[in-house]
Amino acid sequence: MEFTIQDQTFDMQKVARLYPAAMVKTGEGDEVTQISLEWIDTLATDEVEIARYAIFIHHTDNSVSSFFYETRDALDIALEDLSVQLG
C-alpha cells in the first residue's frame, strides 16, 4: 500500500513508524523538540510555546521524513487525508 504526503509517495511496507507531533520551543535559542499531540491536548499549559506541527515517518532503513505545518488545522487536514488514503 502506498500513501502520499505533500507530493511524496511512500510504501507502507517500508515504514517503521508514522506519527504526528507538536514541535515546542525548549527555551534554548531556536531549539525545538517533539511532543505528542496527546500531551499538548491534555497537559500543556499556556507557557508551552508551539513552534509548528509535524508528521514524522521513520523508514525501515532508519531514515526519517518530516513534514511541517504552521497550524494545528493544517496538520489536522493532512492527517485526515492520510487517514482516507490508509483507510
Side-chain angles (χ1 to χ4, degrees), residues 26 28 35-37 41 43:
T26 65
E28 297 292 325
I35 299 292
S36 75
L37 295 179
D41 292 343
L43 299 173

Side-chain angles (χ1 to χ4, degrees), residues 28-47:
E28 297 292 325
D30 292 333
E31 183 181 74
V32 295
T33 191
Q34 300 174 20
I35 299 292
S36 75
L37 295 179
E38 180 181 8
W39 188 90
I40 290 295
D41 292 343
T42 59
L43 299 173
T45 66
D46 291 338
E47 296 173 8

